[in-house]
């Protein structure tokens, strides 16, 4: 068996939701055992992003400017022009991904990093987003430790029993109904 076959995500943790009417922001915090410089490289370098993120970048996210992001694992190809609005290495990274604002903060913590992600997500999908990012962070941690298991995103992530459990756990933590993801996703596709 490979490390990927042994992978099971841990319990839902390190997440909260900030609610402002219909606009909800997902905040995820993860403590990593790696330096802010190493984490920054994984957040900004296209080769590193290909190993863990739910998108690919055609250039570095480490400088202010325009980059194209291509969503991975989506039923239909989705490419968006992204504007990196802030890149203060290795502390703060801000850009938009489609209609989602993304803010990453890296704080030195002992010999490691406290990584915080703020992203706005449609409230109907916020527990699903938390479950997906949880798995991305797990994959990122393994990549940084030199034990990559490969990106697990989109429908592939949803097939993991751990993803479904995380979706339910995060929904409970956020005080929302657990989304019925197949019908929610189908309904979302029809509305676009």
């Amino acid at each position: 068996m490979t490390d990927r076959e042994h992978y099971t995500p841990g319990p839902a943790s390190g997440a909260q939701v900030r609610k402002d009417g219909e606009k909800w922001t997902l905040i995820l915090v993860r403590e990593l055992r790696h330096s802010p410089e190493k984490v920054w490289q994984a957040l900004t370098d296209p080769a590193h992003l290909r190993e863990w993120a739910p998108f690919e970048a055609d250039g570095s996210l480490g400088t202010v400017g325009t980059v194209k992001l291509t969503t991975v694992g989506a039923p239909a190809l989705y490419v968006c022009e992204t504007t990196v609005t802030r890149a203060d290495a290795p502390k703060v990274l801000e850009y938009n991904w489609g209609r989602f604002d993304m803010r990453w903060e890296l704080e030195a913590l002992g010999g490691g990093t406290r990584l915080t992600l703020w992203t706005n997500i449609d409230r109907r999908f916020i527990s699903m987003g938390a479950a997906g990012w949880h798995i991305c962070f797990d994959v990122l941690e393994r990549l940084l430790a030199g034990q990559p298991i490969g990106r697990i995103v989109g429908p592939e992530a949803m097939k993991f029993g751990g993803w479904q459990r995380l979706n339910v756990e995060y929904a409970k933590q956020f005080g929302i109904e657990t989304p019925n993801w197949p019908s929610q996703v189908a309904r979302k596709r029809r509305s676009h």
Side-chain angles (χ1 to χ4, degrees), residues 58-75:
D58 74 346
S60 174
L61 295 175
T63 57
V64 171
T66 303
V67 177
K68 284 188 180 157
L69 298 183
T70 303
T71 302
V72 175

Side-chain angles (χ1 to χ4, degrees), residues 53-57 68-80 97-98 100 151 153-155:
F55 53 78
E56 293 192 0
K68 284 188 180 157
L69 298 183
T70 303
T71 302
V72 175
L77 183 65
Y78 181 70
V79 180
C80 65
W97 177 31
F100 304 112
R151 174 170 32 205
V153 296

Side-chain angles (χ1 to χ4, degrees), residues 14-29:
Q16 62 177 303
V17 173
R18 204 167 280 157
K19 302 172 185 177
D20 182 15
E22 289 299 305
K23 184 177 180 181
W24 288 22
T25 301
L26 174 63
I27 304 163
L28 290 165
V29 179

Side-chain angles (χ1 to χ4, degrees), residues 89-138:
K91 296 179 180 174
V92 179
L93 176 64
E94 294 178 355
Y95 56 90
N96 61 328
W97 177 31
R99 60 187 187 279
F100 304 112
D101 295 323
M102 311 283 290
R103 177 183 172 90
W104 300 88
E105 284 190 9
L106 296 79
E107 178 186 347
L109 183 68
T113 303
R114 175 180 288 127
L115 178 63
T116 305
L117 167 64
W118 282 266
T119 182
N120 59 317
I121 294 180
D122 184 312
R123 65 182 179 82
R124 296 171 297 166
F125 303 103
I126 205 150
S127 64
M128 295 168 63
W133 280 111
H134 181 116
I135 290 172
C136 285
F137 281 13
D138 285 354

